[in-house]
Amino acid sequence: MAMKNQENVGILKKLPEASNKMCSFGSNVKKIAKEDPRKLIHSIKVGLAIALVSLFYYFEPLFDYEGFGVSSMWAVLTVVVIFEFSVGATLGKGVNRGLATFLAGSLGVAAHRLATFTGSDKLQPIILGLSVFSIATIATFFRFVPKLKARYDYGILIFILTFSMISVSGYRDPVVLDKAITRVTTILIGGAAAIMFNVVIYPVWAGEDLHNLIATNIEELGISLEGYGTQYFKKIDVKSEEELERISLEEYKCVIYSKASEENLVNFAKWEPHHGKFRYRHPWGQYLKIGDLVRECAIKMNALNSDLTSYNMTQEGRKIIQEPCTKMSIECGSALKEIAMSMKTMTLYPTIDSHILKAKASSEKLRSIIRNGSLIEEKELQKLLPSTRIASLMLDIVSNSIEIVDSVNQLATLMKFKILSSKPKRLGSKSRMPSGNIGEAHLVVNVE
């Protein structure tokens, strides 16, 4: 009796802990749904698609159960497997699965017919075994080809699986052709249902996600660069300490590890049809080029952050490079933030060039300081190295920022961004700027 009481007491003690875990789990789920409602909508779409294709199995009066039989479960399985978050991922998997199933089914039936033509029960398993070995070996080797692996790896895997299943099962089952046709039909039904629900109901485009991801990464670089100008070099005036603390210096770190996400989004986006500003054969490779430049800049900023926090520059060294480095950080940060806004609104702003010109002028000034030997006025070489290294990194960051802006301008030319000819100005108390969306360009003409 005492043992049971102790067990009950132990269970009661664990109840608050379990309740806290459940509350924490519930809050995390709520946070995920609140941050990105598309995930909740995607879950609902998957449930609807599975419920629709399940009708082939549930209702015999509506559908010919004898025609599909248990094979109707392949439609449900297809929806579960190929229904992805974005339209491009779903189309890619759907096309891969459909083509692979059709080709593998055709070859499986052909191998079965070839084996039956021999008329020998001993030769049939040998021919089928050799065909499975040959097809599986060749298809598996194709999975190592980079271009095929990037877009058709899933299809090759399904091809191997379907061909092997039809070849092996066809040896004992004489109605292999009917089985292949039924399986292909149910898979096509499931794939069509998944694609229809994903495209028609609140579609999520991988191309748009890629575009926004690159723009956000560039913006985070700009925020960090402006932070260096105000936090480390402290040349400009800051209104308050709270405003100083709000400036984030480590926004760039998530950019360094975004390569895999960008490559996946590019592969998905290539499957997507024309939507919005993104046509079918869109220059997706340009996004990878911009992403590589952004990561290269982020890596140099990481090195700069490490040097600024670990090295102790002398007051003389800091004073010499303070003004040009501050100007370079702020102007490059402003240019990157504006070019990120240009990507988001698909509008080029004229002030970007002015920021780049100011950053170039400051970089030339810093180069002249280094060439003239102003930094060598310090007495010890060990004290000289931090200043020269930071100056060198700042020059590299400026060069990277210019390359990023040039690459985005090339993308803007290919996508035909709108060009904002002049900065909006107030023309008087009675004049008003034309209304429109954030992405619209406004041209203001002053007549004197």
Side-chain angles (χ1 to χ4, degrees), residues 276-294:
K277 281 274 187 177
F278 307 95
R279 54 188 184 275
Y280 175 65
R281 300 193 66 83
H282 192 72
W284 300 115
Q286 186 69 18
Y287 288 92
L288 294 178
K289 179 183 176 182
I290 297 171
D292 290 339
L293 291 173
V294 170

Side-chain angles (χ1 to χ4, degrees), residues 361-372:
S362 299
S363 64
E364 289 299 326
K365 183 177 180 180
L366 184 59
R367 284 194 182 93
S368 64
I369 291 173
I370 296 174
R371 283 196 298 265
N372 293 335

Side-chain angles (χ1 to χ4, degrees), residues 226-434:
E226 282 191 341
Y228 289 139
T230 54
Q231 284 274 47
Y232 285 123
F233 300 113
K234 295 182 181 178
K235 183 64 178 175
I236 65 171
D237 295 330
V238 181
K239 294 180 181 179
S240 64
E241 289 295 328
E242 292 182 0
E243 185 178 350
L244 188 65
E245 292 175 358
R246 282 200 302 266
I247 299 173
S248 177
L249 300 179
E250 297 185 351
E251 293 283 343
Y252 66 88
K253 286 191 174 180
C254 62
V255 178
I256 299 175
Y257 308 103
S258 63
K259 184 176 178 64
S261 299
E262 293 171 7
E263 290 180 346
N264 288 334
L265 287 174
V266 167
N267 288 331
F268 297 153
K270 287 179 179 178
W271 290 103
E272 292 178 346
H274 183 283
H275 58 282
K277 281 274 187 177
F278 307 95
R279 54 188 184 275
Y280 175 65
R281 300 193 66 83
H282 192 72
W284 300 115
Q286 186 69 18
Y287 288 92
L288 294 178
K289 179 183 176 182
I290 297 171
D292 290 339
L293 291 173
V294 170
R295 267 184 300 279
E296 184 180 349
C297 186
I299 291 170
K300 290 176 181 176
M301 288 174 64
N302 194 35
L304 177 65
N305 185 41
S306 177
D307 291 347
L308 288 172
T309 53
S310 59
Y311 290 155
N312 293 319
M313 286 189 296
T314 60
Q315 190 66 26
E316 293 81 3
R318 179 184 291 272
K319 187 176 180 181
I320 291 170
I321 67 171
Q322 184 179 29
E323 182 181 354
C325 285
T326 301
K327 193 72 173 176
M328 290 157 61
S329 297
I330 295 173
E331 295 299 336
C332 284
S334 299
L336 291 176
K337 286 172 67 178
E338 288 196 15
I339 203 68
M341 182 60 65
S342 296
M343 286 191 67
K344 290 180 179 180
T345 60
M346 297 188 182
T347 303
L348 286 177
Y349 300 101
T351 52
I352 298 173
D353 293 335
S354 64
H355 291 305
I356 292 297
L357 290 175
K358 291 176 183 178
K360 284 182 177 179
S362 299
S363 64
E364 289 299 326
K365 183 177 180 180
L366 184 59
R367 284 194 182 93
S368 64
I369 291 173
I370 296 174
R371 283 196 298 265
N372 293 335
S374 299
L375 293 176
I376 309 180
E377 294 175 1
E378 299 187 61
K379 296 179 180 180
E380 298 179 5
L381 181 62
Q382 187 176 2
K383 295 180 180 180
L384 169 68
L385 289 176
S387 300
T388 54
R389 176 171 171 79
I390 289 171
S392 176
L393 284 172
M394 281 304 306
L395 292 174
D396 291 341
I397 289 172
V398 172
S399 300
N400 271 121
S401 300
I402 294 171
E403 290 179 352
I404 292 170
V405 172
D406 291 340
S407 298
V408 175
N409 285 332
Q410 292 175 10
L411 179 66
T413 303
L414 296 172
M415 292 187 65
K416 299 179 181 179
F417 280 11
K418 296 178 181 179
I419 300 176
L420 193 64
S421 299
S422 63
K423 208 171 182 180
K425 299 179 181 179
R426 291 187 178 181
L427 303 180
S429 58
K430 294 183 180 180
S431 301
R432 294 182 180 179
M433 291 295 296

Side-chain angles (χ1 to χ4, degrees), residues 425 427 444-448:
K425 299 179 181 179
L427 303 180
V444 179
V445 181
N446 294 323
V447 181
E448 297 183 1

Side-chain angles (χ1 to χ4, degrees), residues 182-231:
T182 303
R183 187 166 296 176
V184 170
T185 304
T186 52
I187 288 174
L188 290 177
I189 291 172
I195 293 172
M196 181 186 68
F197 275 89
N198 209 345
V199 174
V200 174
I201 304 175
Y202 202 85
V204 176
W205 303 103
E208 290 183 3
D209 286 349
L210 173 65
H211 187 88
N212 294 330
L213 174 63
I214 296 294
T216 302
N217 288 345
I218 296 174
E219 185 180 17
E220 288 171 350
L221 286 185
I223 292 171
S224 298
L225 271 176
E226 282 191 341
Y228 289 139
T230 54
Q231 284 274 47

Side-chain angles (χ1 to χ4, degrees), residues 12-29:
L12 290 175
K13 287 182 178 179
K14 291 180 179 179
L15 283 177
E17 183 180 355
S19 177
N20 291 333
K21 288 183 178 180
M22 290 296 294
C23 292
S24 177
F25 177 77
S27 61
N28 289 333
V29 171

